[in-house]
């Protein structure tokens, strides 16, 4: 009994002494406290908390994590994480028996799910700057966002399997043309419906707006078998999909 | 337009050529395929898919990830990830206004949440061996599991704040005495109720059993403000907490 406790205490002591600059174990991650040489360890744990929805609401990435997020997004890990999520999505989709009534649906979010705004965020501090609607809307109008490769592959696979594809985005109706142009240019085609925020959806939390729209699909008789999104607000709420797939995104949070 | 697409194609090419041994981008993560020198990258992405509930059901960790999981569990990362989850839990708990009626509740799972079975799993391949109920029950009877330090700290904090603490575990009623002994020995005290699987709960999925038990608490008038668990089946289902906190656990999965 004593040995396992001792092991834990030793591990804990080493951890505290090498990681934190004061001996108090629990510290609030809010505010941008310094972890000194161990920023990477802190930022990796912060990222896990974001991806598992533990972090709750946040506005910008912790200041000490800008280089970490930049390295993550532009290195192999973001692509690898995206590929593995797509693999699990594909494995699940393959297990669904598609009925002949054309009512088996898959819902995709757009930004950081089908399209990557990494070129925009690379010029805006990888989430370290507060969101600027004006410059982002200009970027959207350019219709220049590349496909997230793993998602384009998954999209074509579920389309091939016979799922009806619904694109459900927080973008506004007045961005419809630019969004269609961008999707087609990035290689996406043959979706069943592209759902954007109309006038009556403005000001709603994304989780409410998206749940309502999924609910309308359910009322039309669709079975939402799967859903892919980079925000938990794409996936949770009501009328949720039978399986939801959370794509990585450590750059921003949408409630 | 061309430049950002080009950047992505270059990144993708580098990624594919350095990571995968064949040029097909999407591959199934099921089966224990080899990633060669890039096992760490694959295993880290696999772990993220487990922690975000993308992976669905699984029985043992991928064989090429045993060293990765061992390093994760015995190194700084598991402790760091646990501390950051506890920090976010504490920040949220601090924001809750505790009423004077004694009905604000916090639900804790036990295994890999309050108590760490790492000494057991270290002797059983860190999740690479199929679950063996007999040897695990013997381990439980020893009442020798240490506290997960960040959780013990959080437990004492939410107790101090005035939350009623409910321990909701998949362990059986016949393990009640050993469980109490272990909890006390590890430093836990003053919980409101310890809920274990009774005869009528045997054979139920954990997500159903735990939802039913939370539902009983709600019917007793408790407001389940927060919940902490290492399995999604601790947190999802019905009668869910206002905020749920997913602790890390890449060693095993419970449906």
């Amino acid at each position: 009994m004593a040995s396992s406790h001792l092991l834990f205490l030793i591990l804990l002591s080493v951890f505290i002494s090498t990681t934190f600059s004061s001996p108090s174990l629990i510290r609030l991650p809010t505010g941008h406290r310094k972890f000194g040489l161990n920023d990477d360890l802190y930022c990796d744990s912060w990222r896990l908390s974001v991806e598992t929805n533990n972090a709750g609401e946040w506005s910008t990435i912790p200041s000490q994590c800008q280089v970490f997020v930049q390295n993550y997004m532009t290195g192999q890990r973001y692509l690898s994480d995206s590929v593995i999520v797509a693999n699990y999505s594909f494995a699940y989709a393959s297990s669904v028996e598609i009925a002949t009534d054309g009512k088996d649906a898959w819902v995709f979010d757009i930004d950081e799910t089908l399209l990557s705004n990494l070129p925009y965020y690379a010029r805006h501090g990888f989430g370290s700057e507060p969101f600027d609607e004006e410059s982002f809307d200009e970027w959207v109008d350019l219709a220049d966002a590349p496909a997230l490769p793993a998602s384009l592959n998954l999209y074509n696979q579920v389309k091939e399997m016979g799922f009806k594809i619904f694109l459900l985005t927080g973008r506004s109706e007045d961005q419809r043309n630019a969004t269609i142009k961008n999707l087609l240019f990035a290689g996406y085609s043959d979706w069943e419906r592209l759902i954007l925020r109309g006038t009556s959806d403005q000001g709603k939390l994304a989780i409410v707006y998206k749940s309502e729209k999924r609910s309308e699909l359910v009322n039309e008789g669709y079975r939402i078998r799967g859903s892919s999104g980079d925000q938990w607000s794409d996936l949770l709420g009501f009328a949720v999909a039978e399986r939801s797939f959370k794509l990585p995104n450590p750059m921003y949070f949408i409630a």
Side-chain angles (χ1 to χ4, degrees), chain A:
Chain A
M1 186 177 275
S3 66
S4 58
H5 284 264
L6 190 62
L7 173 68
F8 231 81
L9 286 173
I10 292 170
L11 274 173
L12 179 60
S13 309
V14 170
F15 179 69
I16 292 174
S17 61
T18 58
T19 306
F20 301 95
S21 53
S22 100
S24 88
L25 178 62
I26 300 288
R27 296 224 230 150
L28 287 176
T30 49
H32 293 159
R33 68 207 154 91
K34 294 291 175 196
F35 264 69
L37 290 173
N38 289 289
D39 275 1
D40 265 11
L41 189 62
Y42 167 72
C43 295
D44 207 39
S45 294
W46 166 80
R47 184 176 70 91
L48 183 64
S49 267
V50 164
E51 298 299 0
T52 52
N53 208 19
N54 287 331
E57 283 198 42
W58 53 283
S59 52
T60 54
I61 64 175
S63 59
Q64 71 268 44
C65 298
Q66 184 172 342
V67 171
F68 173 89
V69 172
Q70 173 171 355
N71 289 341
Y72 172 81
M73 290 299 299
T74 59
Q76 292 193 331
R77 294 179 69 193
Y78 177 56
L79 289 168
S80 172
D81 288 349
S82 305
V83 166
I84 299 301
V85 179
N87 286 359
Y88 279 112
S89 311
F90 172 74
Y92 163 69
S94 306
S95 77
V96 175
E97 236 176 276
I98 308 283
T100 53
D101 62 1
K103 293 293 190 182
D104 292 292
W106 199 284
V107 177
F108 285 98
D109 166 58
I110 293 182
D111 291 299
E112 267 54 68
T113 299
L114 295 185
L115 298 178
S116 171
N117 299 303
L118 188 51
Y120 171 85
Y121 281 98
R123 291 193 302 271
H124 291 271
F126 296 94
S128 60
E129 299 175 9
F131 181 67
D132 177 56
E133 194 167 337
E134 192 179 331
S135 65
F136 188 75
D137 286 352
E138 284 169 14
W139 159 253
V140 166
D141 286 341
L142 292 177
D144 196 23
L148 194 62
S151 296
L152 178 57
N153 206 333
L154 175 67
Y155 180 98
N156 287 326
Q157 287 169 322
V158 300
K159 189 172 78 176
E160 184 72 22
M161 288 176 195
F163 289 94
K164 288 282 166 63
I165 295 178
F166 294 88
L167 310 185
L168 178 50
T169 174
R171 293 185 178 193
S172 296
E173 272 294 349
D174 59 12
Q175 295 171 312
R176 180 178 286 274
N177 287 345
T179 302
I180 291 174
K181 181 180 168 190
N182 199 152
L183 286 165
L184 292 173
F185 183 77
Y188 295 98
S189 61
D190 302 316
W191 54 84
E192 182 70 13
R193 200 179 304 169
L194 167 61
I195 305 167
L196 304 100
R197 272 184 198 259
T199 318
S200 65
D201 303 314
Q202 299 298 332
K204 283 180 185 164
L205 286 178
I207 193 170
V208 175
Y209 153 68
K210 296 202 167 185
S211 293
E212 287 174 354
K213 294 300 172 185
R214 281 196 307 270
S215 200
E216 289 173 22
L217 296 180
V218 170
N219 291 339
E220 289 179 47
Y222 288 103
R223 297 174 293 274
I224 306 179
R225 301 299 207 162
S227 186
S228 304
D230 66 295
Q231 300 288 324
W232 284 101
S233 55
D234 296 330
L235 308 171
L236 301 178
F238 50 93
V240 298
E242 292 173 21
R243 279 284 297 275
S244 293
F245 295 91
K246 169 70 175 75
L247 278 75
N249 182 4
M251 298 191 298
Y252 59 85
F253 170 85
I254 297 173

